[in-house]
Amino acid sequence: MCGRYASSRRPEDLVEEFDIVESRIQDALEADYNVAPTKEVYAVVERPPRSSTGSEEGAEPPQRQLRVVTWGLVPSWAKDPSIGNRMINARMETVAEKPAYKRAFARRRCLLPADGYFEWYPTEERTKSGKPRKQPFFIRPQDHGVLAMAGLYEIWRDPTRADDDPDRFRWTCTVITTEAEDSVGHIHDRMPLMVDRARWSAWLDPRVEGPDLLDVLEPAAPGRLEAYPVSALVSNVRNNGSELIEPLPLEPGAAEVPT
């Protein structure tokens, strides 16, 4: 699974990186080095442009937008938005078939920009309760570029809010995961699905559907990511700051990348 990641880039940097046509960011998010489910995150989507009346015109080609969404997908048909707390990941192998995800997979796909993500590896050391102590690792692109994670988004209408309430629609997302490639598979057997730049347009375009979408979803090629141990401070969601992604100084007996 992918349950934590880091996202520190400014919206203006993401606008340039992802060729955004329209930014819907009103208040920039703070750099977050410990992104956890239920937090707000940046998402790249493609939506029909607004008409002069403010509505979205379906006849016009979609425009690439940068938006803020909440991590934890709430399907449009959900009665209780708390379902999103459990829907933080969707498996690549079944995302086109699962009732909770297939509608979003067909029309509402997104990219979730990240610096990298965290996984925990069980060591031979034991905690006081006798369980293996888990060492966190930070996994990021070797070139330190943006990690474009494949995601889905939904727009849930809150029935408790009035029709003229600007917050009546809740935008939420989930991260698609796949089998981990060899260089990081020893840490965890799953990883976020990355989308190559050449495939961004096909993945985001809501007009693309069917078999073409499955062709876009390919696991990462080996050798593109690097992993290193980081402080256990990241295990507490209340901790935040760039020190969470700093490599842990290796001492005799310290955790190295497992092989």
Side-chain angles (χ1 to χ4, degrees), residues 223-234:
R224 294 180 54 190
L225 301 172
E226 63 179 13
Y228 55 85
V230 294
S231 170
L233 289 172
V234 72

Side-chain angles (χ1 to χ4, degrees), residues 1-6 33-37 71 88-89 116-123 127 132-139 184-192 227-239 244-245 255-258:
M1 63 178 295
C2 173
R4 299 280 181 86
Y5 68 92
Y33 297 91
N34 202 355
V35 179
W71 187 10
I88 65 171
N89 290 159
Y117 65 98
F118 298 95
E119 289 294 359
W120 280 256
Y121 178 76
T123 68
T127 65
R133 186 183 69 83
K134 292 186 177 181
Q135 171 62 51
F137 282 79
F138 188 59
I139 303 169
V184 297
H186 301 294
I187 300 173
H188 198 281
D189 61 352
R190 304 292 296 180
M191 64 176 287
Y228 55 85
V230 294
S231 170
L233 289 172
V234 72
S235 299
N236 188 331
V237 71
R238 292 191 296 268
N239 295 326
L244 298 183
I245 65 171
E256 297 181 357
V257 178

Side-chain angles (χ1 to χ4, degrees), residues 20-60:
I20 301 296
V21 174
E22 181 183 7
S23 175
R24 293 290 188 90
I25 308 303
Q26 296 181 345
D27 298 310
L29 301 176
E30 296 288 337
D32 195 339
Y33 297 91
N34 202 355
V35 179
T38 74
K39 282 190 172 184
E40 291 186 327
V41 298
Y42 290 124
V44 178
V45 305
E46 288 195 357
R47 302 280 300 173
R50 281 179 174 175
S51 68
S52 58
T53 62
S55 62
E56 292 182 337
E57 296 290 345
E60 295 293 327

Side-chain angles (χ1 to χ4, degrees), residues 29-219:
L29 301 176
E30 296 288 337
D32 195 339
Y33 297 91
N34 202 355
V35 179
T38 74
K39 282 190 172 184
E40 291 186 327
V41 298
Y42 290 124
V44 178
V45 305
E46 288 195 357
R47 302 280 300 173
R50 281 179 174 175
S51 68
S52 58
T53 62
S55 62
E56 292 182 337
E57 296 290 345
E60 295 293 327
Q63 291 183 345
R64 191 167 298 180
Q65 301 174 353
L66 182 66
R67 288 181 176 265
V68 170
V69 300
T70 299
W71 187 10
L73 193 81
V74 180
S76 58
W77 44 260
K79 296 182 179 180
D80 185 350
S82 66
I83 190 177
N85 299 339
R86 306 189 303 273
M87 299 179 64
I88 65 171
N89 290 159
R91 295 175 68 92
M92 182 190 79
E93 298 85 351
T94 57
V95 68
E97 305 164 2
K98 289 277 189 179
Y101 301 118
K102 65 180 183 180
R103 290 176 63 182
F105 180 74
R107 299 280 298 183
R108 291 180 288 278
R109 302 174 298 276
C110 64
L111 295 172
L112 301 168
D115 304 339
Y117 65 98
F118 298 95
E119 289 294 359
W120 280 256
Y121 178 76
T123 68
E124 295 182 358
E125 183 180 341
R126 297 284 170 171
T127 65
K128 291 181 179 180
S129 63
K131 297 180 180 180
R133 186 183 69 83
K134 292 186 177 181
Q135 171 62 51
F137 282 79
F138 188 59
I139 303 169
R140 67 182 179 185
Q142 286 193 349
D143 63 4
H144 301 181
V146 177
L147 185 66
M149 302 187 298
L152 307 175
Y153 72 96
E154 279 281 18
I155 308 170
W156 183 76
R157 173 66 164 88
D158 188 342
T160 67
R161 295 182 178 271
D163 290 342
D164 59 352
D165 188 332
D167 296 323
R168 65 191 182 279
F169 293 111
R170 181 180 300 190
W171 290 63
T172 62
C173 71
T174 190
V175 177
I176 300 178
T177 65
T178 184
E179 291 185 2
E181 52 103 335
D182 291 345
S183 63
V184 297
H186 301 294
I187 300 173
H188 198 281
D189 61 352
R190 304 292 296 180
M191 64 176 287
L193 182 69
M194 297 186 296
V195 182
D196 290 334
R197 181 182 294 270
R199 298 174 182 233
W200 287 356
S201 293
W203 174 247
L204 293 172
D205 192 340
R207 299 169 298 183
V208 177
E209 55 186 37
D212 293 338
L213 280 178
L214 297 177
D215 292 339
V216 173
L217 293 178
E218 290 186 356

